[in-house]
Each structure stands twice: as C-alpha cells, then as structure tokens.
Amino acid sequence: MNSLAESTDQVMFLDPAIRNWVLFPITVIMVLVGVFRHQLTILMTGEPPKPDIKDIRQGKALMRGQMLAQSNSYIPAAAFAERRQYLCHAYEQGTYLKNKASKEQSAVNLMADPKNMEVMMDGMKKQMMGIVPQTLIMGWIQFFFSGFILIKLPFPLGLRFKQMLQSGIMTPNMDVRWVSSLSWYFINLFGLRGVFSLILGGENSADGIRDMTAMGTMGAMGQQPGQPQDFNKQFLSLKDSLSIIHHEWDLANIEQRVLVKYGKQSRVFTSAAK
Amino acid sequence: MSSSLHLLADIRQSSERRPFSVLQLAEPLLNTNSVSATDDAYLVYEQVFISAIDERQIELAKALLLLLRKRFPASLRVKRLYGMINEAVGHPDEAQSIYTEMLATDPTNVLASKRLIALLKAAGHTEEAVAQLAAYLDTHSNDFEAWLELAHLYMRNHRLAQAAFCLEEVILQQPANHYFHLCYAELCYSMGRLDLALKEYLRVVELSTDNLRAFYGVKLVADRIRELRARSKKDPALCIDDAPQPATLDRLAQLATERLVAIYSRANQVTKTTAELWLSS
C-alpha cells in the first residue's frame, strides 16, 4: 500500500528563486496593502450620523414594545393590560412616528433623506476600498506571476479544481496539488485575517473575507440595512404581536415554588392549589 | 502608580461614587504630574474633578476644569462640568442656564437632561423635576435608571400609584434583579395591595436566598392578611383578593419565621435575643 501511494505521488523540484521572488513577495505585499487599506479607511470614514431626537424616540418606542412582549410575564396582568392597550393605541395612531404626516408614504422618501445619503455614501466608499485593492492585486498576480507552479498543497483535491488553481498551465497529468500563484493569493486572502487581527486589533478593515461577502450581498441589497427602516410597518407588526399575547403571570405559583425551594414541599403542583 | 491608575479605572467602570478614595488615589499622581502622559489622562481629570466638587475642593476642581477646557474647548461634556461646578459653589441659576443652553444646541444630550433634573431635585422643585424627567423618559423609554429615579421622586410626594407604574417599567427591563422586586413589594405593601406584596416578596426570596428584608416582608404581610381575614368588616383600601389559601399562608409564615431564626442565629447575641423576642410575639 505504501509503495503504491508513493509511486502516484509526483515529485518535482522547484527553483528556489521562485520561493524567494514570488512566495514571500506576494505575502508581504498583501500584508502591506491590508495595513494601508485599514489606515486609509480610518481616514476616510466620516463620523457616524448623529441621531435626531425624533429618531431616538421612535427607536426606543419600538424597543419598549419589544421589551413588553418579551418580559410580559414578570408584571401583573393588570399592569400588562394597561401597557398593551396604551402601546397598541399609540402605534396605531403613530404617536411615536418621526414624520406623522407622511405616515402613509413613508417608504417613498427614504432616498431623499440627506442623512441617509451620507450613510449610504460611506458604505459605498468602504466597499470600494475593499474591492479595488483586491482586483488590483489579482490583476498584478495574473500579469506577472502566471504560467508557473508555485507551491504544492499538503492536501489532495478533486480534479475540478485543476482548472481554477493551475490556470496558466495546460498539463493534463500534473497532480492538482501543484498550484499556481493565484491560488497562493487566495490562501493568503483567507489566512491573513489572523495576522491582521494581531497587528491591527480586532475590528480591522483589511479583512478579505468580509469584502467577498460584501461583494456577494451588494447585488441583492435593495436598501442599506439599518437606517431607512420603515417604522410605521414595524410598529404595526409589533402591535399585532402584542395583541395576541396571552399573559401568563410568572408569579402565579410562586408560593409553591418558594416552599419547594426551601425544602418544605417536594414538588410544585401544576393544578395550582393555592 | 499604574496600580492607582487601574483602581481609578475600575471605579470609573463601576460608576461608584467614592470621592474620598478617588482623591486619595489621585493626589500623588497629580502632584508628580505623572498622569498627563497616559492615554486616560483626561478621563482621570474628569473623574477627579467630580470627586473634588463632592469633597468641596473647589480650587483643585477649577484647575482641572481649565486643563480640560484647554484640550477640548468646544466640548459639551466639559460644559456640563461647568454646570456642575456652578451648582457646587451655589449658583444654581447659572447652572440651569448652562444646561438649558446645552439642550437648545443638542436636544439629545443625555448628560444635560440628567443634570437639569438633578438640579431641580436638589433645589426642591420636585414637580418640575418630575415633569422634566417624564419628558426625558418619553424619548428615552429604555433607561431603567431614569424610571427608578422617577419612582423615587413620586414616592417622595406620596404618589404611590405612579411610583408603582415606574417600578413596573423597571421590572420589565430588569426582571431578574431581586432588588427592584423588593422595592416594588414594599411599595405594594404601603399602598395596601397585600396580595401582590406577598407574591413579590416571595419572588425576592426565590431570587435571593435568605433575603432578610424579604422574609420580614413575607411574615408581616402573611400575618396582616390573616388578621384581615379574621375581621368581619372588609377594609376597601386593602386588597387581599388574590391571597393564597389559609393553609398555604400558614406554611409561608412558618417558613419565614424559621428562615429568620436561621439568619439571626449567625448574628451577635443582642440582635439574636431582640429578634427572637419579636418573632415569638
């Protein structure tokens, strides 16, 4: 078995000059570009938009409703009922909405809001910062470092990867484990995240993977998540979920629970014999 | 030196009010001027400023304020400190005008809102303070500390029903904190809602084993309910409709007595004898 495995293992000798002039430079360049990108992003990112008082009020009113829905069992039934009634009425009337007048056409003017524009521009800028260097480096590698084998992967791969990883070299028999410099670029892209979090601290903008996910979602993104939320819709849906809550007071069988806790009783009776 | 800085940072983190300790820790640092190089320098200055005005060391406070203003000339956070020092030396009107000015420039500034309310409260204008705090809470309805403050303000004026509402808001946001349930229980007892008081005291006892105050509450409320039931005439102000059956009530009262004895067995002799006298009566 052993000899069989060895005979199918291709042995090739690579010029050490390849290691010195391709392997290390690609890594070094990627690290430097990552750090540069991080610093540039810090410079370019404007201040996060300061929320308006009406925005805060709106957001917190929503949170209040959510908290009521979540913790409703800890307050007595009467307290819950009065809050539910008040909040449902308020949500319906739009008491907490920022622009009460435009309650009906709230979805239309989301683009026109100047603050939202700034937030979206910021997001776009960040994404450009991510995509442009990646594309540039990939192009650079393709241009300069194509047509030869760089490394041997320590793990075997299926034949379908051959086309992607050995892009410049047309050989039918060469093992898929021998790959070109473009795949080294990809390995670095995923691997340098750890290095960046060491050098730049946790929250850094030099993350290759984050850019790839951003690229993927950019097409599917209809509107920037977070800012132009339609509060009226959210209020109404929260009102609906509040109105169907069946209040079960947590303290209904507290006497039994306490007696059990202090060892006076073995188990809580579910039929709540008070 | 760095250990003092660490201790100061811990005190900042826990937002404790320990002016004497802070001053004690910070005096040597400020005298040898070894703080100015650190990253936290201005945070320390702000912290020592607040402790200085707590301990009436106004000159020190003024010096720190000048340092802060030099570094952050247009900062609202520093402006609030100006308001505070005005309050400390006894110029509440100036302080109030500073805070209202801050709120006019930036209505969302939480620091200014809270200082204004504190100013009104300290001056004894409870009604105005309540009005301001209610307006603040209309916007920032998830600030449970503000709800707690409003509850205390209402309790000052014996508006217990409103205070109960505020405490319910606090409990909604922090349902696992036994102290808020305890406040609510005592408030319910004061209002005469004895059944609810009993249940809340039991909740405290469930959340915090052998809580002395809560067990006192359980015993007192249980005894009172028993007494009220024994009376033929119903008192309309006191609500005992939801109270447990007499058998359960007896067991709870007995449990409370037992646990109180157990807790007091760890205390010194004088306390123990006093407690036992009271419990057996």
Side-chain angles (χ1 to χ4, degrees):
Chain A
M1 272 312 288
N2 233 354
S3 58
L4 263 177
E6 272 186 34
S7 62
T8 52
D9 213 23
Q10 294 174 345
V11 176
M12 289 205 283
F13 293 108
L14 294 175
D15 190 349
I18 295 182
R19 180 194 63 204
N20 295 336
W21 293 101
V22 184
L23 199 72
F24 295 143
I26 290 185
T27 312
V28 166
I29 299 273
M30 286 183 76
V31 169
L32 289 177
V33 168
V35 172
F36 180 66
R37 231 176 55 177
H38 172 72
Q39 303 296 349
L40 209 60
T41 319
I42 291 182
L43 276 176
M44 269 179 33
T45 311
E47 273 214 12
K50 200 146 184 311
D52 185 35
I53 193 168
K54 288 199 187 285
D55 283 319
I56 298 181
R57 185 163 174 259
Q58 205 170 246
K60 301 235 165 137
L62 191 68
M63 280 170 61
R64 190 174 169 197
Q66 286 167 338
M67 207 145 351
L68 181 67
Q70 192 183 356
S71 311
N72 71 81
S73 53
Y74 297 108
I75 54 173
F80 171 70
E82 69 180 340
R83 281 167 174 80
R84 170 165 60 184
Q85 187 191 27
Y86 170 72
L87 277 178
C88 288
H89 182 72
Y91 288 155
E92 207 171 353
Q93 296 286 333
T95 330
Y96 288 108
L97 277 181
K98 184 173 166 177
N99 315 321
K100 206 162 152 193
S102 64
K103 201 160 63 118
E104 281 76 44
Q105 342 115 325
S106 47
V108 176
N109 300 346
L110 290 175
M111 282 293 285
D113 199 355
K115 229 173 359 154
N116 293 337
M117 287 304 288
E118 272 191 46
V119 170
M120 283 202 275
M121 289 309 295
D122 250 0
M124 303 249 4
K125 271 193 265 177
K126 270 203 172 144
Q127 284 177 336
M128 300 308 324
M129 282 302 303
I131 296 172
V132 167
Q134 273 202 6
T135 330
L136 282 178
I137 296 185
M138 258 208 285
W140 171 70
I141 290 183
Q142 285 279 46
F143 183 66
F144 282 111
F145 300 129
S146 63
F148 58 86
I149 292 293
L150 183 62
I151 50 173
K152 178 180 176 191
L153 295 175
F155 48 85
L157 285 176
L159 278 176
R160 284 186 291 161
F161 290 96
K162 206 170 158 66
Q163 193 202 5
M164 182 172 79
L165 300 176
Q166 291 177 351
S167 47
I169 308 116
M170 295 299 165
T171 53
N173 283 334
M174 190 162 62
D175 209 334
V176 193
R177 295 171 67 171
W178 299 96
V179 293
S180 68
S181 25
L182 194 63
S183 54
W184 176 237
Y185 165 74
F186 279 116
I187 292 177
N188 270 326
L189 196 63
F190 295 122
L192 281 175
R193 261 178 63 184
V195 177
F196 283 134
S197 53
L198 274 178
I199 319 177
L200 301 172
E203 184 74 30
N204 65 66
S205 324
D207 203 336
I209 297 193
R210 204 187 302 179
D211 296 327
M212 299 195 53
T213 44
M215 277 201 292
T217 55
M218 200 168 63
M221 189 169 66
Q223 59 179 27
Q224 192 86 345
Q227 270 298 56
Q229 282 171 322
D230 188 0
F231 271 99
N232 192 33
K233 271 210 212 91
Q234 286 187 305
F235 280 150
L236 290 175
S237 70
L238 186 55
K239 163 181 171 275
D240 289 332
S241 46
L242 275 177
S243 43
I244 62 172
I245 290 181
H246 174 63
H247 182 258
E248 276 189 26
W249 197 20
D250 178 61
L251 302 190
N253 62 351
I254 183 81
E255 297 93 357
Q256 310 242 352
R257 290 195 338 238
V258 169
L259 288 170
V260 167
K261 179 180 160 113
Y262 288 93
K264 295 287 166 192
Q265 194 174 296
S266 57
R267 187 52 212 129
V268 181
F269 297 111
T270 46
S271 63
K274 282 207 305 182
Chain B
M1 183 208 75
S2 66
S3 61
S4 310
L5 281 174
H6 274 133
L7 280 168
L8 285 171
D10 285 337
I11 295 179
R12 274 202 301 277
Q13 185 82 350
S14 65
S15 4
E16 288 176 273
R17 192 172 174 179
R18 293 167 54 179
F20 185 69
S21 315
V22 169
L23 283 180
Q24 220 178 12
L25 285 168
E27 294 271 9
L29 296 178
L30 291 173
N31 288 338
T32 60
N33 209 16
S34 41
V35 191
S36 49
T38 61
D39 287 336
D40 294 345
Y42 291 97
L43 287 172
V44 173
Y45 291 154
E46 188 186 28
Q47 183 181 17
V48 180
F49 171 87
I50 296 178
S51 303
I53 54 177
D54 263 340
E55 291 273 336
R56 286 196 65 80
Q57 294 206 17
I58 306 295
E59 290 310 317
L60 173 61
K62 280 190 189 162
L64 288 168
L65 192 53
L66 284 173
L67 269 174
L68 282 163
R69 215 244 299 253
K70 215 165 49 168
R71 176 68 183 83
F72 301 108
S75 162
L76 281 181
R77 198 163 156 179
V78 173
K79 199 161 177 189
R80 158 185 93 122
L81 300 180
Y82 268 100
M84 284 171 86
I85 201 170
N86 269 307
E87 282 186 72
V89 299
H91 300 147
D93 296 320
E94 265 123 58
Q96 193 163 358
S97 64
I98 292 181
Y99 296 139
T100 35
E101 211 184 298
M102 282 170 75
L103 281 173
T105 18
D106 179 15
T108 66
N109 193 312
V110 171
L111 297 171
S113 315
K114 290 192 171 176
R115 275 315 316 161
L116 187 57
I117 294 164
L119 175 70
L120 290 167
K121 181 180 169 192
H125 306 310
T126 325
E127 285 304 322
E128 277 182 59
V130 163
Q132 286 282 346
L133 190 45
Y136 170 80
L137 279 168
D138 182 50
T139 310
H140 302 268
S141 46
N142 67 340
D143 186 346
F144 78 90
E145 289 169 342
W147 283 112
L148 200 57
E149 187 60 40
L150 188 57
H152 285 304
L153 280 176
Y154 276 133
M155 282 196 264
R156 255 201 202 181
N157 281 3
H158 300 288
R159 288 158 77 175
L160 300 182
Q162 286 92 330
F165 181 89
C166 298
L167 277 176
E168 282 159 8
E169 286 291 327
V170 176
I171 289 179
L172 263 182
Q173 295 183 22
Q174 304 273 315
N177 189 325
H178 69 92
Y179 180 67
F180 301 137
H181 283 281
L182 189 59
C183 290
Y184 189 51
E186 296 186 336
L187 186 64
C188 289
Y189 189 13
S190 313
M191 282 201 295
R193 292 162 70 177
L194 296 174
D195 42 6
L196 187 52
L198 181 62
K199 290 213 185 251
E200 289 290 337
Y201 275 125
L202 289 172
R203 177 72 174 143
V204 180
V205 153
E206 186 190 29
L207 286 172
S208 151
T209 317
D210 276 355
N211 188 309
L212 188 65
R213 240 164 104 173
F215 269 125
Y216 265 121
V218 171
K219 179 156 169 59
L220 286 169
V221 175
D223 288 344
R224 190 101 171 89
I225 293 180
R226 264 199 295 234
E227 186 198 355
L228 283 173
R229 277 185 176 156
R231 274 197 223 163
S232 51
K233 214 165 60 155
K234 279 184 65 155
D235 191 337
L238 301 171
C239 178
I240 55 168
D241 301 323
D242 213 17
Q245 300 291 339
T248 322
L249 203 58
D250 287 337
R251 288 166 77 192
L252 289 171
Q254 191 190 21
L255 170 67
T257 317
E258 273 179 31
R259 292 317 303 164
L260 284 172
V261 168
I263 296 168
Y264 277 114
S265 67
R266 300 195 282 269
N268 63 37
Q269 194 54 40
V270 177
T271 325
K272 222 162 49 166
T273 37
T274 323
E276 273 166 18
L277 267 175
W278 182 82
L279 284 170
S280 52
S281 68

